[in-house]
Amino acid sequence: MAAILHNVAEIEERLKNSKCVNEIDVAAINGPRQIVVSGNTKALDAFTGDLGKEGIRCITLKVNNAFHSFQQEKIRKPFLAKVKYLNFVAGKHSLKNAPKVPLVSTVTTKYLDQNDVSTGSYWWRNIRSPVRFMAAIEKLLLDGYNCFLEIGPHPVLSSSIKDTVRTSASKSDVVVSGTLQRPADTNTHANDMHNLLRSISRLHVAGYPIEHVNLFKDLPYEVVSIPTYPWQHVFCSGITQKAEKTFLFPVKNHPLLGKRLLVSHLSDDTSPNVWR
């Protein structure tokens, strides 16, 4: 398998006209500029090699199987035999047990219902058919969803979501974030708590309600008041060049308010400042 970072329509057309077309399948379309191809190793090397000579970036994936390709046909019959029990199980469950969270399928790019997930043929399509991730994201955008949180060990699809958002007809602000982050040095351990808190903070800043109390439950904590915005260390002065030339240093009179007067009948610290 190989990921190709280039215009999807162009790569599909080039694969269609390639001599390797019968040995390579489109495995996934993740974004407008990210397509994954899968198939025979030698054919894949030849196809991506030609693209690489033209400066098109191709990344060989570290897998030992040509997922979503014609090679999966070998397991079709045994797989369908293994999952035929789904129809029997589905018949014993009522619709009230159906999932409450809507889920868009990357196979059909439609919302799943109980009939879809209760058939072995649907799950076979998940194995054999290409993953239409970009189309599923476009469906969600058109339906008004504007927050995408990638749950996984590393945000490998967040960039594809952002690219899809940029080319989508949706004009609303969209938040894209991940949960965990793989460290730059893979010999070290990732700080999962730090990464999760950073992700939650992004959502909070974007205006999504976060139950912060759960972060401090059963733990000692202290509430501290902090500024609501970062301090800007910029010196601002109302002194003009004319005032500076007139009063020199030190400036005893305010260039805009004039001279400060002492109010004799108010002598405590709460005395107002009077200027003339």
Side-chain angles (χ1 to χ4, degrees):
M1 300 184 71
I4 303 173
L5 307 183
H6 195 69
N7 180 273
V8 168
E10 181 181 336
I11 297 301
E12 287 183 308
E13 184 66 23
R14 296 182 67 156
L15 179 60
K16 180 180 177 181
N17 298 322
S18 170
K19 61 182 180 181
C20 305
V21 63
N22 295 324
E23 299 180 87
I24 299 176
D25 286 329
V26 174
I29 298 178
N30 294 328
R33 294 183 62 82
Q34 186 183 120
I35 182 173
V36 180
V37 291
S38 178
N40 179 276
T41 302
K42 290 183 179 180
L44 206 62
D45 290 342
F47 182 68
T48 57
D50 290 339
L51 296 176
K53 293 176 182 177
E54 299 180 29
I56 298 174
R57 188 181 178 192
C58 303
I59 304 172
T60 302
L61 304 185
K62 296 180 180 179
V63 296
N64 56 4
N65 199 338
F67 295 103
H68 306 288
S69 78
F70 64 92
Q71 292 186 12
Q72 302 302 309
E73 293 291 342
K74 295 180 180 179
I75 67 169
R76 180 173 184 171
K77 288 184 178 179
F79 175 82
L80 291 175
K82 290 283 187 181
V83 297
K84 65 180 180 180
Y85 74 92
L86 287 173
N87 294 323
F88 173 77
V89 173
K92 290 183 172 296
H93 287 272
S94 62
L95 288 176
K96 65 182 180 181
N97 292 324
K100 298 297 187 294
V101 177
L103 178 68
V104 173
S105 168
T106 56
V107 175
T108 65
T109 68
K110 299 178 180 179
Y111 291 99
L112 285 176
D113 58 31
Q114 195 175 36
N115 294 327
D116 291 324
V117 298
S118 300
T119 61
S121 60
Y122 171 75
W123 295 107
W124 165 248
R125 290 179 65 189
N126 273 270
I127 294 175
R128 180 63 183 90
S129 302
V131 178
R132 300 171 64 190
F133 183 79
M134 181 178 74
I137 295 298
E138 289 176 332
K139 166 66 176 173
L140 291 170
L141 288 169
L142 289 174
D143 288 349
Y145 291 94
N146 57 5
C147 180
F148 296 88
L149 180 65
E150 181 176 352
I151 299 175
H154 193 71
V156 294
L157 290 172
S158 291
S159 59
S160 296
I161 297 175
K162 293 176 182 177
D163 288 343
T164 303
V165 170
R166 282 191 283 268
T167 59
S168 172
S170 175
K171 301 298 182 183
S172 60
D173 293 333
V174 177
V175 177
V176 180
S177 182
T179 49
L180 303 180
Q181 183 85 25
R182 183 175 60 242
D185 182 2
T186 55
N187 292 321
T188 61
H189 294 288
N191 190 336
D192 290 345
M193 179 58 73
H194 172 79
N195 291 323
L196 285 170
L197 290 176
R198 184 171 58 180
S199 177
I200 292 173
S201 299
R202 288 197 193 102
L203 297 179
H204 173 69
V205 171
Y208 291 92
I210 303 296
E211 295 185 8
H212 296 94
V213 67
N214 293 324
L215 296 173
F216 306 102
K217 193 174 182 180
D218 302 325
L219 293 173
Y221 64 90
E222 179 182 359
V223 177
V224 179
S225 296
I226 60 174
T228 56
Y229 56 88
W231 293 108
Q232 297 176 331
H233 299 281
V234 178
F235 177 74
C236 300
S237 173
I239 299 177
T240 63
Q241 291 183 350
K242 181 178 180 181
E244 188 174 13
K245 182 178 180 180
T246 302
F247 300 112
L248 300 179
F249 184 87
V251 179
K252 296 182 180 180
N253 296 345
H254 194 284
L256 299 179
L257 301 179
K259 184 178 180 181
R260 183 174 181 272
L261 301 179
L262 296 178
V263 182
S264 60
H265 60 280
L266 295 173
S267 58
D268 57 17
D269 294 335
T270 61
S271 301
N273 290 324
V274 179
W275 302 80
R276 182 181 66 184

